[in-house]
Amino acid sequence: MDYGSMVGDSFEYAKEAVVGKWNKWVMLIIATILLGLPLMGYVMKVLRGEKPAPEVDDWGTLFIDGIKALIVGIIYMIPVIIVEVLVLGAGFAGAMSGDSTAAMAAIGAMMVGLVVVLILALIIAVFEIIGLVRFARTGSIGEAFNFSAILATISKIGWVPYIIALVVLIVCYVIIAIVVAILMMIPILGFLLYLCLIAPIALFVSRYICQLYDSAGA
């Protein structure tokens, strides 16, 4: 798997979608402002493999697909939310017990628990990513949780190449996040730049995931 090529293709995809196409960029910014739901719906188009980046139209469908994608994400996060609530609840209960030793132990346990929550979230994300593509391409929320098909797709890609690809994506995202954080330090203008960059970043990530999914030949 050529990770560099995937990153380059994703960058070019996002760049060509907005640079010099100011009307589309404005529409994507509006899609972002509207709670991000139309943008999520637009991302579903990208995950379907539409190339070049499609026009921003049919807002009703974008909203509906965005809501469905949000539902998929929430369902996937339910285990994480439950574990996090239990960890934080137990931690705060121990911290407020009045016993300093118990409080310190509770805080330590809570820190460990939060690490467990993070690991759980990462494990779930491994399956959720493929699940979202399956939803985008079939239109069925149920297919987002077709774990036998999800596992089959990952197996075709190869677990090691798949994990490496996700690590590459995370590294790219961290670099982008650092750049955005620096821009955000600029009063007012920083926030406006951030608002303008949300959609291109989403296109970059979704195009990368699309290529990763297609590498399975699915």
Side-chain angles (χ1 to χ4, degrees), residues 45-205:
K45 287 187 173 186
V46 178
L47 292 179
R48 292 184 192 115
E50 295 190 26
K51 186 178 181 181
E55 293 300 319
V56 186
D57 52 19
D58 195 359
W59 287 81
T61 299
L62 293 182
F63 265 105
I64 293 172
D65 284 351
I67 291 171
K68 289 180 178 178
L70 178 62
I71 291 172
V72 169
I74 291 174
I75 293 174
Y76 264 107
M77 283 297 104
I78 286 176
V80 176
I81 294 171
I82 292 174
V83 174
E84 186 171 10
V85 168
L86 292 174
V87 167
L88 292 177
F92 283 124
M96 300 298 289
S97 65
D99 185 328
S100 59
T101 302
M104 291 300 295
I107 293 173
M110 185 168 63
M111 294 299 102
V112 173
L114 290 177
V115 172
V116 172
V117 169
L118 176 60
I119 293 173
L120 177 61
L122 290 174
I123 292 173
I124 289 175
V126 167
F127 299 94
E128 181 182 2
I129 287 170
I130 300 298
L132 270 175
V133 181
R134 290 192 60 79
F135 157 66
R137 299 195 176 189
T138 64
S140 169
I141 290 180
E143 282 300 311
F145 305 97
N146 186 342
F147 292 106
S148 60
I150 290 171
L151 286 169
T153 298
I154 297 175
S155 295
K156 289 179 182 178
I157 297 171
W159 278 95
V160 172
Y162 180 63
I163 297 301
I164 292 175
L166 294 183
V167 170
V168 170
L169 178 59
I170 291 172
V171 170
C172 290
Y173 193 83
V174 168
I175 293 172
I176 293 171
I178 292 173
V179 173
V180 171
I182 293 173
L183 292 175
M184 286 286 286
M185 294 179 183
I186 306 173
I188 302 177
L189 179 60
F191 174 76
L192 294 176
L193 288 172
Y194 168 67
L195 190 62
C196 293
L197 289 174
I198 291 175
I201 292 171
L203 295 187
F204 170 83
V205 173

